[in-house]
Amino acid sequence: MADLSNKRIISVAITGAWPTRKDNPALPITPQEIADSVYESWKAGAAIAHIHVRNDDGTPCTEFERYKETIEAIRAYKDCDICLNITSSGGSLGIDDGNTSAQDESRIKPLRELLPEMCSYDCGTLNWMDKTIFENHPRFLEKLGEFCNEYKVKPEVEIFDAGMMYTAMRYVKRGILQAPVHFQLIMGAAGGTTATVENLVYLKSIMPENCTWGAAGLGKAHVPIMMATIAMGGHLRVGLEDNVFYHKGQLAEGNGQLVARAARLIREAGLEVATPAEAREILGLTRHVE
Ligand code: ZN
């Protein structure tokens, strides 16, 4: 097997659930805009696209049909082999009541029907941005873990604070998550850990040895966390979901611009940007749909 230790994967989080056109007019909203932004990001060096969907008015959307339309628009770019990572947050980000079995099903259905290679797996509940509860009930996490195991969709285990890492390790012991786990450290969300290099070093220190990981600092911590992550051997996540600015007071032109900066930083560090094929090998992904 080729040595992939000098490769760094760039994930791009295209829209998320929260940023609006008021925050940044370049935010992709419609399925076609999201697909175009994924394509532009892939060209700039992204190997994974993390997908949420929106209604036409920009509000967060939980409708399966909208996911379907969006994923089909991305897959219509036949030359683009980017790995797809669909959010499992569904309507849990305070959009409606997350605590029902029907809600669990609506969060899993897009994954089962559209078979991305990855999905987000938020390993705990938190007070989200001082606005709402981002609810990930143990019942839901068990169902989602079972789904991932059965359908070979790789969970990207999102960690907002240290407790979630320990939960993930318990789930590995119980067989709900499979090693090697892929962690995505999301730092700087109000309600989670702050985005400092000290906290990044701490989270890395409690990770199990047999894992892969990436990190993203939200907002102004974006670039410092990216640089520290490169230095510490992690993969990167960028995108308008996490950060609508390029520099302080200067809005990002789009996801492609944020990906291009990450790619430059990786190369300046003497490393290489992983292609989607290399990302599949590094993370052990199963490609269900060409
Ligand atoms: Zn997300």
Side-chain angles (χ1 to χ4, degrees):
M1 197 167 41
D3 178 19
L4 297 170
S5 60
N6 67 334
K7 305 282 181 179
R8 294 291 185 276
I9 300 166
I10 302 173
S11 285
V12 57
I14 300 283
T15 54
W18 285 105
T20 68
R21 280 266 164 87
K22 277 190 190 142
D23 300 320
N24 186 328
L27 187 79
I29 300 287
T30 67
Q32 193 57 51
E33 286 167 358
I34 290 172
D36 294 347
S37 189
V38 168
Y39 190 67
E40 172 194 86
S41 299
W42 170 72
K43 279 189 170 164
I48 299 172
H50 171 64
I51 305 294
H52 292 245
V53 296
R54 303 291 189 102
N55 298 307
D56 281 333
D57 66 1
T59 53
C61 179
T62 61
E63 297 298 326
F64 169 69
E65 285 303 321
R66 194 72 167 180
Y67 281 100
K68 185 164 179 278
E69 210 183 320
T70 303
I71 297 302
E72 284 174 354
I74 297 168
R75 286 177 174 157
Y77 276 110
K78 290 295 178 199
D79 57 332
C80 176
D81 65 342
I82 200 163
C83 311
L84 293 182
N85 169 343
I86 300 181
T87 183
S88 65
S89 61
S92 61
L93 279 164
I95 300 157
D96 55 19
D97 174 19
N99 190 17
T100 68
S101 292
Q103 184 66 16
D104 291 350
E105 169 55 22
S106 82
R107 293 171 72 174
I108 293 174
K109 181 175 175 179
L111 313 174
R112 189 192 303 114
E113 301 290 326
L114 301 169
L115 289 175
E117 288 158 274
M118 305 181 79
C119 65
S120 55
Y121 188 103
D122 296 281
C123 220
T125 294
L126 72 160
N127 279 358
W128 182 252
M129 301 289 189
D130 298 333
K131 289 179 184 148
T132 185
I133 295 171
F134 181 20
E135 181 172 322
N136 293 288
H137 195 285
R139 179 204 62 237
F140 172 69
L141 292 178
E142 288 179 22
K143 276 188 211 170
L144 182 59
E146 278 167 24
F147 162 80
C148 288
N149 293 336
E150 188 182 343
Y151 283 78
K152 297 197 175 0
V153 171
K154 176 107 181 179
E156 178 183 67
V157 178
E158 292 190 335
I159 300 294
F160 288 83
D161 65 31
M164 293 190 183
M165 184 89 75
Y166 292 109
T167 300
M169 287 188 251
R170 284 199 306 281
Y171 282 8
V172 170
K173 271 194 188 140
R174 292 174 54 196
I176 296 165
L177 290 173
Q178 305 293 322
V181 172
H182 180 60
F183 291 106
Q184 186 69 270
L185 313 178
I186 308 289
M187 308 177 70
T193 191
T194 51
T196 63
V197 173
E198 289 79 3
N199 285 342
L200 180 63
V201 169
Y202 171 63
L203 289 174
K204 170 85 168 40
S205 76
I206 61 170
M207 269 181 211
E209 244 169 57
N210 182 21
C211 74
T212 52
W213 67 282
L218 306 191
K220 66 181 192 300
H222 187 62
V223 174
I225 292 296
M226 191 153 51
M227 294 171 102
T229 299
I230 292 170
M232 289 164 63
H235 302 290
L236 302 183
R237 166 167 140 162
V238 300
L240 295 172
E241 172 170 352
D242 298 339
N243 174 35
V244 295
F245 291 99
Y246 189 78
H247 285 305
K248 189 174 192 308
Q250 180 191 340
L251 291 175
E253 290 165 13
N255 284 302
Q257 187 194 28
L258 294 167
V259 172
R261 173 167 61 187
R264 283 197 304 276
L265 287 173
I266 288 169
R267 294 192 188 104
E268 285 297 328
L271 302 163
E272 291 175 24
V273 178
T275 64
E278 289 163 345
R280 289 185 172 97
E281 203 170 324
I282 292 166
L283 302 176
L285 305 183
T286 305
R287 198 172 185 185
H288 305 282
V289 180
E290 291 289 322

